[in-house]
Amino acid sequence: MSKSSIKEYFERVAPHWEYWQQRNRYYHNAMANLITGMVPPDSEVLELGAGAGDLLASLRPSRGMELNFTKGMTTRAREKHPEFEFATIEVDSVQMPHAMEPQYVVMNNMLDYVYDAWDMLESLRPTINEQTLLIATTNNPVWAPILRFASKLGLRIPESTRNFITNKDICGVLHLQGFDVVEEGLVLPVPVRIPLLGTLLNAVLPELPVVRFASSIQYVVARRREPRRALSVSVVVPCHNEAENIKECIQRIPNMGAWTEIVVVDDGSTDGTMEKVREAMMADGRVRLITMEVNQVKASAVIAGFEASKGDVLMILDADMAVEPEELPKFLTPLQDGTADFVNGTRLIYPMHGKAMKVANFFGNKAFCYMASKAIRQRVSDTLCGTKAFLRRDYKRMPLTGKERWGDFDLLFGAARLRLRILEIPVHYTERRAGKSKMRVMVDGWYFLFACYSGWRVLRFPEKYPWTKSRPPVMGVQETQPITEAPAAR
């Protein structure tokens, strides 16, 4: 295998590329579904080794660029998809014809055909920034004899010398080059159409221990570790009948980042909470008050706060101070350092104070954590901690459903759909100072179970759940004072 033999191979198969794609359209459609499930429409996408540009077109990018190893493939792609940019590059060398900072870089089975995987990934580094998601798929080495045999029978594209590289190898190279692997796995144990049975097997087998390694395709999704510019912070405090807690809660929120604002959302309180917030506003220029005419649900209050926020980072803090406001700076650090994209608090590490969490809530939370972790393929040890932090630009792209009244699962599964790096921060969890919890264990438990199932379906069958930027409706929202420029940190 040499660089020249790689180019010769692709020049040889270029005239027949679309024939083989049509011949094995079930496989190519499955790969397109996998990748379009990770890439929202209207994104900037760079695809390497993209063939005739059909996968790039299925992603519906606002700007798309495709780089191929051979002129024959590039020429055909330009003819078929003139709306995108195409260029020919040398093997293992990403040479961008025009300036571009892609949000997504897709390498669909390209690492199978490079001469040196390290050089290929190294050449990508100047193109990738802290916003970029790298998606790489490769053939499972276990399938090597099957693929060779199928080529000899004329059932698939002619075989050539190729790399049979494992996910562990790719993850190791990415780690050394400053990337964090967000997700890696195996899919498509049945790469040919078998009515009904094939869909079932492709959904179930990749979830099973040991058996999953029989899948035909490996995939790795990664983001680069890179410090971000100084970030501003919006702390959203949803509250309903928290008059005894809200003023102290506001006073204890520290300044963070470039500047900090506190967006209090009064969810139809009837106990004087709004008046207490107005008192706090007189003494603290960071505070803004959003009011909702009638009580809705926490998720709606949080969304109303997010929509009104101006900071780079969105944080959620419950007004009951069961998680102490002084712990919030911990949530900013990994976002600022570029080591995480979504920070989730976990209350299940340190000893809890008093009756902070009922026994039924504790074990229920553990069960939901297990199900959610399996679905998103990232570890989550506390699905229901109300304290979270993430970038506002990512929130704008999250496909939220609004089907769960607390919003915690919606945000977690939205982050997983975007393949954000989810990091957990241990927090101390104390008994609320005053008032009573709004959690209804028996009722909400069923909603949480349905949320886990819905999230699993969206992540496993993304083709059935198109990307949407719509938000659940929030009624009767208004701000009680004019919106001004963001306050400077004191």
Side-chain angles (χ1 to χ4, degrees):
M1 188 175 183
S2 65
K3 292 183 180 181
S4 61
S5 68
I6 294 170
K7 290 180 71 72
E8 289 169 4
Y9 170 73
F10 281 102
E11 288 288 9
R12 188 171 71 252
V13 300
H16 313 289
W17 184 265
E18 290 165 280
Y19 166 78
W20 290 113
Q21 278 202 314
Q22 184 63 23
R23 180 80 182 267
N24 295 284
R25 59 184 178 276
Y26 179 86
Y27 163 79
H28 290 287
N29 288 340
M31 296 302 293
N33 289 337
L34 172 68
I35 295 171
T36 55
M38 305 181 195
V39 181
D42 301 319
S43 303
E44 292 199 8
V45 181
L46 171 66
E47 188 180 4
L48 306 178
D54 295 322
L55 174 59
L56 184 63
S58 72
L59 300 177
R60 293 180 291 155
S62 59
R63 182 185 179 188
M65 183 182 294
E66 172 181 305
L67 306 179
N68 280 311
F69 288 153
T70 60
K71 292 181 180 179
M73 205 75 81
T74 300
T75 300
R76 178 61 187 128
R78 284 174 178 161
E79 293 172 352
K80 194 172 185 182
H81 298 286
E83 68 273 24
F84 303 129
E85 304 167 62
F86 300 96
T88 305
I89 59 172
E90 293 299 318
V91 177
D92 300 352
S93 178
V94 176
Q95 301 146 344
M96 302 288 287
H98 307 291
M100 184 183 188
E101 292 187 347
Q103 295 169 285
Y104 295 86
V105 173
V106 178
M107 296 190 292
N108 184 26
N109 292 6
M110 189 179 188
L111 292 179
D112 291 328
Y113 294 102
V114 300
Y115 180 72
D116 191 303
W118 175 278
D119 288 346
M120 182 72 220
L121 293 170
E122 182 73 17
S123 71
L124 264 176
R125 292 183 66 183
T127 307
I128 291 177
N129 57 41
E130 53 90 14
Q131 297 188 51
T132 307
L133 184 70
L134 174 65
I135 303 170
T137 69
T138 52
N139 287 114
N140 185 352
V142 173
W143 277 67
I146 301 173
L147 297 178
R148 283 195 294 267
F149 186 63
S151 291
K152 288 182 179 180
L153 294 178
L155 300 177
R156 63 180 297 275
I157 197 167
E159 185 67 3
S160 105
T161 304
R162 65 161 70 207
N163 302 315
F164 284 99
I165 186 170
T166 69
N167 267 4
K168 283 191 175 182
D169 299 322
I170 297 171
C171 292
V173 172
L174 288 171
H175 178 75
L176 292 172
Q177 292 186 345
F179 287 85
D180 290 321
V181 173
V182 181
E183 181 178 323
E184 59 96 10
L186 296 108
V187 293
L188 211 58
V190 183
V192 295
R193 179 174 175 77
I194 302 177
L196 299 179
L197 183 60
T199 301
L200 177 62
L201 294 175
N202 283 330
V204 174
L205 296 185
E207 307 288 339
L208 302 179
V210 182
V211 178
R212 60 191 291 268
F213 292 104
S215 300
S216 63
I217 294 295
Q218 310 168 123
Y219 72 93
V220 175
V221 182
R223 291 186 184 272
R224 183 137 173 220
R225 296 188 300 272
E226 187 174 312
R228 299 180 169 108
R229 62 174 176 78
L231 300 172
S232 54
V233 179
S234 295
V235 181
V236 174
V237 185
C239 55
H240 174 66
N241 291 342
E242 295 285 357
E244 297 177 79
N245 294 317
I246 189 62
K247 195 169 182 179
E248 180 186 350
C249 177
I250 292 171
Q251 293 170 345
R252 290 174 59 184
I253 294 175
N255 284 308
M256 296 168 283
W259 52 261
T260 301
E261 68 171 358
I262 302 170
V263 182
V264 181
V265 184
D266 179 32
D267 187 13
S269 296
T270 57
D271 68 341
T273 296
M274 185 164 54
E275 288 69 25
K276 293 292 183 181
V277 176
R278 287 189 175 128
E279 290 176 15
M281 292 170 69
M282 300 295 292
D284 192 337
R286 303 175 302 167
V287 184
R288 295 165 56 199
L289 173 61
I290 307 297
T291 57
M292 304 171 71
E293 292 180 359
V294 295
N295 176 236
Q296 297 178 46
V297 292
K298 180 185 175 182
S300 297
V302 169
I303 288 174
F306 288 166
E307 295 296 326
S309 296
K310 303 175 183 177
D312 300 315
V313 173
L314 301 177
M315 290 187 183
I316 310 171
L317 176 68
D318 289 340
D320 61 10
M321 293 176 290
V323 174
E324 297 180 347
E326 290 82 5
E327 301 209 53
L328 290 180
K330 300 175 185 177
F331 289 74
L332 176 62
T333 299
L335 295 173
Q336 186 69 74
D337 292 346
T339 55
D341 309 297
F342 186 104
V343 184
N344 185 58
T346 176
R347 304 161 295 173
L348 308 180
I349 304 298
Y350 303 132
M352 296 183 193
H353 177 267
K355 299 178 181 179
M357 185 181 296
K358 297 178 181 178
V359 174
N361 294 33
F362 178 85
F363 286 106
N365 196 359
K366 282 291 187 182
F368 293 126
C369 288
Y370 176 80
M371 289 185 282
S373 297
K374 288 294 184 182
I376 68 177
R377 291 179 173 150
Q378 294 191 64
R379 182 178 183 271
V380 177
S381 65
D382 188 357
T383 52
L384 298 175
C385 180
T387 311
K388 294 175 172 58
F390 40 88
L391 298 174
R392 184 160 62 99
R393 71 176 186 219
D394 291 329
Y395 162 74
K396 294 291 185 181
R397 300 186 301 140
M398 284 184 187
L400 304 181
T401 65
K403 295 180 180 179
E404 181 254 308
R405 71 190 297 260
W406 299 98
D408 297 289
F409 287 92
D410 221 6
L411 291 170
L412 281 169
F413 285 116
R417 183 85 189 262
L418 290 174
R419 267 60 182 187
L420 302 182
R421 291 167 296 176
I422 299 174
L423 176 71
E424 293 199 306
I425 295 288
V427 294
H428 296 87
Y429 191 52
T430 62
E431 195 171 355
R432 65 160 41 237
R433 302 292 186 87
K436 61 180 182 179
S437 173
K438 283 80 175 177
M439 179 75 72
R440 302 168 299 174
V441 179
M442 296 305 296
V443 175
D444 288 315
W446 290 106
Y447 284 111
F448 297 150
L449 186 62
F450 178 74
C452 286
Y453 172 70
S454 298
W456 178 84
R457 283 185 57 85
V458 170
L459 294 174
R460 296 300 182 272
F461 305 99
E463 68 278 7
K464 297 181 180 179
Y465 300 90
W467 289 91
T468 174
K469 296 180 181 178
S470 63
R471 294 287 180 261
V474 181
M475 300 174 292
V477 178
Q478 61 180 356
E479 184 159 0
T480 60
Q481 71 170 21
I483 299 177
T484 59
E485 292 298 317
R490 295 182 301 178

